[in-house]
């Protein structure tokens, strides 16, 4: 690992994104999603499922207050929660002392405050900050004296706390709380929530670990692993790194904690359990993480774990752990990644399917999983700048992550299929998880706030830095400040990504400063040229692992011109992917394309691409800029055919070449699909 | 309807099947299935789920005996059945007084006795008949004095009888009992079971009907409709025809009986029901049957209903009812029929899917549904000899029905997919209903005994008769006796179907007899020639609706030579079928073919048929007779290619023509698949 060049995300406050493409997304989140989400957290949106999140914090805070007032030892009511989601018997009149919603409902707040933090970092907003501070006061008021902070158990009874780490998300709540607290602290400098998060982390740090008598558990839904590293990086407290590493080391060891826990829980309830019911692979707990080489189980959990593994590998120099990350990354890329950057082939367990099983219509490809893949790959980049990681990160971000949100920021996809036929979604219960239009909000609302925190912090996926190097992984117009040993520079980028491959970089500096600027060469680029116009001669140029390193002394007026050719690419899947054999898909730059009924009529399966006319370099495809979706977008116009339906009824007839008529097939970016009402969509076309 | 020529199945005792192909199947049923099934009915097969069928009859008979002994009014124990399938707490020691198994478990006996009846009709067997008589004694001993005979309610409590016609199968039990009773009576002349069935039918006839105060219900799982017609035909009792017609007329009328019943049941249990939970289309009760024009819902129930509708239409001359049958038949043929003669595109509700939705890997295509399709189409033939019906009947019988049973008669398919990848069946829970190998027996064992009764009575699908015409719908070697007004003839058929299209017919007659012999011209035949060598001149030849009618005076030594060309047919599906676009399937004669891994290696999706070499009339395909499956079978050897897997890992690359190597693709009859261990199978191949 020593040869690797570690880097850290550049602080959001040091970046100013002016990029047309991303600004639009960020403004959507700031103006639409964050305010809407706050209303949802407070159950004030009529046509959305209530979150119960702030209700639960209020109920827990009330309990804490009562305890303090009475000076008595706090005894929570008996454990009475039944079922997976608790709902009030009379939805109009919830009881103020009860817990409602899912066991992980606290995280609705944590994800919101994280997005708020990122937003405030780049766009101060006193009113929003005031709202956030008040919310933080309430959340902190709900915390127990010993640091515990999960309203589900605080309200329902602490006697059952820590008895079901596998399913009940206490550590998941810790993780999101820590991530939100760090973001808010870094944006505002206010540490109240950060201290609460630390106290909650300390609660676990005191009780979990290899020492005798301590709990040997780890998160059922991973996230605490990477969150603890953020807490470590924000506070410098070694115990958070140690706890993260413990969780990672302990996961999947024998005897399996989750199985032991299940038996203990059954015994506690007076039941006899013949065999454990849990699926350890679902939780990535089927074997120690360093022995894992296939991405399995719940896809979001998996990539959250891998992100934490990469963090810990970076922090501890653990080569075996990095190797496991590398194997898992390769496994995803070689066998389990949709061309949209999505992961998770099956809705059963929201999981990775078996190798090369990438169904298009029944894809799960959860928005959060693509976000998690960006988490993982950004962390791999932090260990080693290798464009393989950057390519996948970019692919996930520009396609499935953005597809998760409507272009007006008001509705969301949880599942991101690569092929949709509305009739099938309506009538085929096998596709009941696939929605042909985005939904307002979900009771289990992981994806919308996850998009919010990803989009508002996207600049941290664009830029990371080490002491002597500023890395550019993604191209977006804006400015980034970098302090080298000899002084500071401001690097300005002008780019029309993802529509154009030309990137202009200019330097502002009060005095000449030595340092390295590294730029990712995207894998989609057919060829690239780079021209550095430095005032001083002697700039060293090096290509390594898909990154262009320019080392020199930078001063005011220096410029770098990068030209990435951006051909239309007609791609085919590995023939092992049964679903896609005989089909092609189109990408251009980082954008994956799809055909929609709005442009091409229904029965998209009747379309066929004229591969010969498309040509080897996509030269037969016209790229047309249009404003159809409220911002400049490149559409592709592909030469092809449409099969003519026979007039005769009847299912089977002598095979004959299909009667076809020539047509052009209009493709739009995948992220923009389903913004024009109900209709068919398909990424893969017969070719 | 008056122009139509009604016909009835020729009595099994008048037919002697010597056909090599069908004899083998019938002998399997006689020697393997019927004895095995009897063991299962008595829970004596160690590695099969217990049936509990005879156990339940014993328990019910004991209750009846006790009632008689005590002279007291019978009071059944309180209704205590919980859940869908009742299982003993200790499987080793079931309680002798309790009901176990599914609510329809009585029908295991009824289906068995029906197959026994058919078998005894053509193959007397004193020991089997003795066993059957004893079983009948037991069943009859379980019958209540009022004629009621469903052990589920007799044992669990009559207070709940007739309260859930939709789900609890009392009328389904009636139907199977009547079918079994008629078959046994016609085979042996013994009417004990027939009288019991009549008493049970009378129980309903007295309580159901349009008259005020009578129950307005009808079967939740159809079959009684056609069974009552058989009872009517066997006994001449008009009330059975009336009851069948009532069930058919009443189905789907408003107010909907099943919904009313559900509300009543809830009220009876003190519950408040906001909305009914039942899916009326699942039960074909969403609208009156004469208004139905799309085959929907549970596929077996649907075709059983349609068979009953056709019976009643024939019996009553109801043109509107026949029109509905015709529309439903056309809907199946034009939108919902697999090329294997299977129906039911989705396992959700074991149902027809929406039009043109015919997935291959997740197909349901239940064996019983194909059998039901044969019931329906045979009954349509009885109304009107039209080869369209005969073609579908033949397609169902030679393919999906026979595929339901292993070639050794010892294991069975419930679900008949058109494409199988064992890894997908094992790892993809969406395919959990699909088994890549046949199973020994099922707890819900409808299919194995259904195959048994279908195969043993297949001659009745080959021959029907009206007063002046003997119809041959299927070709199989053997003899059939026909009595015309002027005397009797014996028609001998020699055929090597399904492998050869030549059919020789010869006549035995003690004196010249006038009459019509009608032969179906199969739709798969490219061309056919018929040559009648009658001793007397003047035989009239007429082609009508795909049947060749030969009317003349027949006498000893007359012969008819039929030559049906039997080309290899390479078929394509209607382009509306998304799953099959760009693919081809092969048939020859009535047989649909498939590729198996045993002949072609794995990853069958890599195969591609060379359509040009196959040629318009399949002349490029070699037909090879082989004995691989224990009897002569024609394999097809198709010219084609296999895509070569790339050495490089990675999922997506620039689209380029697939690298392929030439190969021959060996196809075997679909009915013979999965007899050589675990492996892939596919009916449709890229073409």
């Amino acid at each position: 690992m020593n040869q690797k060049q570690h880097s850290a995300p550049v602080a959001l406050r040091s970046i100013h994104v002016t990029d047309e493409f991303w600004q639009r997304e960020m403004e959507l989140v700031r103006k639409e999603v964050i305010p809407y989400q706050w209303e949802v957290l407070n159950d004030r949106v009529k046509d959305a499922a209530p979150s119960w999140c702030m209700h639960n914090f209020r109920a827990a805070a009330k309990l804490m207050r009562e305890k303090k007032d009475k000076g008595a030892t706090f005894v929570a009511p008996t454990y009475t929660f039944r079922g997976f989601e608790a709902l009030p018997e009379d939805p109009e009149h919830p009881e103020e002392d009860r817990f409602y919603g899912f066991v992980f409902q606290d995280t609705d707040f944590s994800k919101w405050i994280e997005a708020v933090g990122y937003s405030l970092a780049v766009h101060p907003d006193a009113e929003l900050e005031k709202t956030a501070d008040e919310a933080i006061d309430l959340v902190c008021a709900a915390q127990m004296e010993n640091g515990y902070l999960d309203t589900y158990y605080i309200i329902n009874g602490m006697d059952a706390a820590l008895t079901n780490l596998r399913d009940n998300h206490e550590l998941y709540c810790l993780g999101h709380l820590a991530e939100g607290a760090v973001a808010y602290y870094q944006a505002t400098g206010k540490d109240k929530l950060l201290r609460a998060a630390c106290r909650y982390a300390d609660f676990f740090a005191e009780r979990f670990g290899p020492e005798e008598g301590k709990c040997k558990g780890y998160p059922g839904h991973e996230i605490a692993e990477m969150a603890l590293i953020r807490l470590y990086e924000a506070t410098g407290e070694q115990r958070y790194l140690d706890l993260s590493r413990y969780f990672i080391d302990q996961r999947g060891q024998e005897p399996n904690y989750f199985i032991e826990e299940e038996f203990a829980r059954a015994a506690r309830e007076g039941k006899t359990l013949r065999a454990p019911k849990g699926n350890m692979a679902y939780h990535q707990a089927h074997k120690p993480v360093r022995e894992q080489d296939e991405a399995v189980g719940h896809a979001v959990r998996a990539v959250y774990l891998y992100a934490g593994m990469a963090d810990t590998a970076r922090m501890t120099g653990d080569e075996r752990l990095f190797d496991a990350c590398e194997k898992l990354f390769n496994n995803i890329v070689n066998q389990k990644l949709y061309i949209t950057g999505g992961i998770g082939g099956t809705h059963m367990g929201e999981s990775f399917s078996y190798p090369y099983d990438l169904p298009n219509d029944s894809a799960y490809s959860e928005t959060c999983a693509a976000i998690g893949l960006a988490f993982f790959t950004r962390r791999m980049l932090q260990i080693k700048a290798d464009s393989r990681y950057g390519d996948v990160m970019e692919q996930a971000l520009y396609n499935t992550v953005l597809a998760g949100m409507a272009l007006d920021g008001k509705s969301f996809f949880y599942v991101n299929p690569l092929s949709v036929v509305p009739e099938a979604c309506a009538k085929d219960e096998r596709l009941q998880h696939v929605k042909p239009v985005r939904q307002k909000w979900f009771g289990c609302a992981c994806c919308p706030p996850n998009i919010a925190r990803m989009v508002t912090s996207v600049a941290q996926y664009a830029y990371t830095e080490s002491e002597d190097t500023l890395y550019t992984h993604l191209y977006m117009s804006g400015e980034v400040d970098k302090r080298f040993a000899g002084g500071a520079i401001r690097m300005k980028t002008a780019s029309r990504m993802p529509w154009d491959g030309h990137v202009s970089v200019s330097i502002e500096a009060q005095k000449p400063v030595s340092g390295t600027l590294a730029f990712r060469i995207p894998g989609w680029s057919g060829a690239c040229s780079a021209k550095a116009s430095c005032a001083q001669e002697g700039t060293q140029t090096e290509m390594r692992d898909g990154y262009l390193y320019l080392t020199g002394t930078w001063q005011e007026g220096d410029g770098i011109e990068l030209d990435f050719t951006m051909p239309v690419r007609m791609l085919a899947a590995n023939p092992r992917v049964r679903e896609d054999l005989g089909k092609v898909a189109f990408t251009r730059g980082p954008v994956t394309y799809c055909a929609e009924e709005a442009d091409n009529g229904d029965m998209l399966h009747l379309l066929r691409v004229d591969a010969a006319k498309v040509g080897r370099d996509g030269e037969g495809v016209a790229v047309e800029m249009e404003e159809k979706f409220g911002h400049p977008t490149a559409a592709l116009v592909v030469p092809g055919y449409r099969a003519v339906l026979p007039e005769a009824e009847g299912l089977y007839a002598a095979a004959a070449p299909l009667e076809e008529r020539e047509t052009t097939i209009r493709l739009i970016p995948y992220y923009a699909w389903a913004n024009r009402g109900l209709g068919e969509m398909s990424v893969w076309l017969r070719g």
Side-chain angles (χ1 to χ4, degrees), chain A residues 326-365:
Chain A
E326 178 72 10
K327 279 182 190 157
L328 291 163
F329 172 82
N330 286 335
N331 177 255
I332 291 173
V333 169
N334 290 331
Q335 302 187 346
K336 305 201 175 188
L337 180 68
Y338 282 105
I339 198 166
T340 52
I343 47 175
T346 171
H347 79 289
M348 307 300 301
E350 308 181 324
S351 289
F352 285 107
S353 190
Y354 57 93
Y356 304 107
D357 185 42
L358 293 163
N360 294 309
D361 62 347
S362 64
Y364 203 71
S365 185

Side-chain angles (χ1 to χ4, degrees), chain A residues 235-412:
Chain A
T235 65
E237 297 291 348
Q238 175 75 23
R239 62 184 178 281
Y240 303 138
L241 171 59
D242 292 344
L243 185 58
S244 174
R245 183 161 46 178
Y246 179 71
F247 286 156
I248 283 167
D249 290 347
Q250 182 59 14
R251 188 167 213 91
Q253 300 287 353
E254 293 295 334
N256 188 293
Y257 180 80
F258 291 149
I259 294 175
E260 302 262 300
E261 183 191 61
E262 192 179 340
F263 276 101
R265 207 161 50 241
R268 189 171 164 280
E269 293 168 4
K271 292 178 195 160
T272 308
L273 194 67
R274 288 187 187 182
K277 287 176 188 156
N279 169 3
M280 291 306 108
Y282 171 86
H283 298 276
Q284 299 77 44
H286 54 303
K287 54 171 98 165
V289 299
R290 287 172 188 77
E291 295 169 24
Q292 296 189 22
D293 56 8
E294 181 180 356
V296 296
H298 189 269
V300 175
R301 293 173 202 237
V303 284
Y304 279 21
L305 168 66
Y306 307 157
M309 286 164 62
D311 271 339
T312 295
R314 176 169 53 91
M315 286 295 166
T316 62
D318 185 332
E319 282 289 345
R320 274 193 66 213
L321 194 53
F322 175 76
D323 289 346
C325 290
E326 178 72 10
K327 279 182 190 157
L328 291 163
F329 172 82
N330 286 335
N331 177 255
I332 291 173
V333 169
N334 290 331
Q335 302 187 346
K336 305 201 175 188
L337 180 68
Y338 282 105
I339 198 166
T340 52
I343 47 175
T346 171
H347 79 289
M348 307 300 301
E350 308 181 324
S351 289
F352 285 107
S353 190
Y354 57 93
Y356 304 107
D357 185 42
L358 293 163
N360 294 309
D361 62 347
S362 64
Y364 203 71
S365 185
E366 185 179 337
T367 307
C368 289
I371 289 169
L373 185 59
F375 293 162
F376 175 37
T377 45
R378 208 276 310 275
R379 283 160 174 82
M380 292 299 274
L381 284 172
Q382 287 182 246
I383 298 175
K384 180 183 172 190
D386 185 324
S387 64
R388 292 185 307 129
Y389 309 137
D391 287 344
V392 171
M393 181 175 83
E394 187 184 55
Q395 189 180 10
L397 283 175
Y398 277 96
N399 300 291
T400 298
V401 172
L402 292 184
M405 182 165 68
L407 293 172
D408 64 4
K410 291 180 177 166
S411 58
F412 304 87

